[in-house]
Amino acid sequence: MDADDGREPGTGQVTSNVTDTALIFEGGGMRASYTSAVVVTLLAAGIHIDWVAGISAGASNAVNYLSRDATRSRYSFVDFATDPRFGDWRTFVRGQGLFNAAYIYGEAGLPGGPMPFDWATFRANPARLRVGAVRCSDAQPVYWTEADMPEPADMMVRVRASSTMPGLMPFPVIDGVAYADGALGPSAGIPLDAALADGFEKFLVVLTRPREYVKRPARIPGVYHQVFRRYPAIAERILARWRDYNAARERLFELEREGRAMLFVPDHMPVANGERRLARLSAAHELGLGQARRELPRWREFLGLDGELPRTG
């Protein structure tokens, strides 16, 4: 499929053609090798939704989608894992994190980097963005918008904050406040709450766990209180996450039964969140593409795009 970047013929203006539905990306680390295929498929089909939210890896999917960059969407969660600066136990020991966040969400996205970010298209896109994280001090959620991102560095550090796995990556500081992975918030990494707060009643939601998945309580809870002595609220949120996550998914399944949500639920998730092997990540992406392309007609019907794609400014 050839990508349709959604620019108005004759003017080059970036436009949206779906304005009544929220697009929501769940996190999941390298499981986004599978779900980044949804970004590729939506862009190839010329489906440009006017409100997008993401948490953790879902935040990367969201900004890649808004920059209309299918190539970067795949690269971010497949080929990029082979970059020697991506991170490993050596960067972890040096305090840079198991995933080298300063490089991944900084240098790598600059012009001349391995995956330069199309800032001009991102800024020209009329769609609204929500990127979720939690404050380390009290584990309260925050959603940043495009208004909080006047420069590329402002966007990158917020996507980094949203993606910062406690214990594995150093907490970034924004305006004097330390932040952690948005998956620790009450939304449990699925920013439905932000879409509801903005008045949406229809949702296209991209999940990273199979339908039958149920999250279990963390083992050895005392370890988290010890590791996160400085941020006890983070420890509490880690321990509560299993309940929040299962409840969030059940709410989505309820919305699906009501006809208000269209869910992309992986048929099978072949990789874990820390997967680095290129062959496995590439295979996961291909599986995601196959599923996304099969489901595309249902998405188009749900979004009201059965006929000629309408364009709105």
Side-chain angles (χ1 to χ4, degrees), residues 63-172:
V63 298
N64 287 335
Y65 174 74
L66 292 179
S67 71
R68 307 276 169 95
D69 195 336
T71 299
R72 190 180 197 274
S73 298
R74 181 191 188 279
Y75 188 93
S76 297
F77 294 103
V78 180
D79 308 83
F80 191 34
T82 66
D83 189 315
R85 293 167 290 180
F86 188 77
D88 53 25
W89 286 109
R90 288 169 295 185
T91 56
F92 179 78
V93 170
R94 291 197 295 264
Q96 298 168 301
L98 189 62
F99 294 89
N100 185 1
Y103 173 70
I104 293 170
Y105 303 103
E107 183 181 345
L110 297 175
M115 52 175 195
F117 186 78
D118 188 345
W119 179 250
T121 299
F122 174 81
R123 289 297 292 176
N125 197 320
R128 290 174 288 166
L129 171 67
R130 304 291 182 267
V131 170
V134 299
R135 294 192 299 261
C136 290
S137 58
D138 57 8
Q140 289 301 300
V142 58
Y143 281 104
W144 292 297
T145 76
E146 63 279 4
D148 299 303
M149 308 171 190
E151 300 294 336
D154 300 311
M155 183 270 290
M156 289 295 184
V157 73
R158 285 164 173 79
V159 174
R160 173 184 172 181
S162 180
S163 308
T164 296
M165 293 182 282
L168 298 180
M169 301 162 70
F171 297 127

Side-chain angles (χ1 to χ4, degrees), residues 4-16 68 310-313:
D4 174 354
D5 70 0
R7 293 181 185 271
E8 190 72 31
T11 69
Q13 181 181 358
V14 179
T15 62
S16 301
R68 307 276 169 95
R311 293 192 180 278
T312 61

Side-chain angles (χ1 to χ4, degrees), residues 18 45 52 104 108 228 239:
V18 177
V52 186
I104 293 170
F228 299 108
L239 296 175

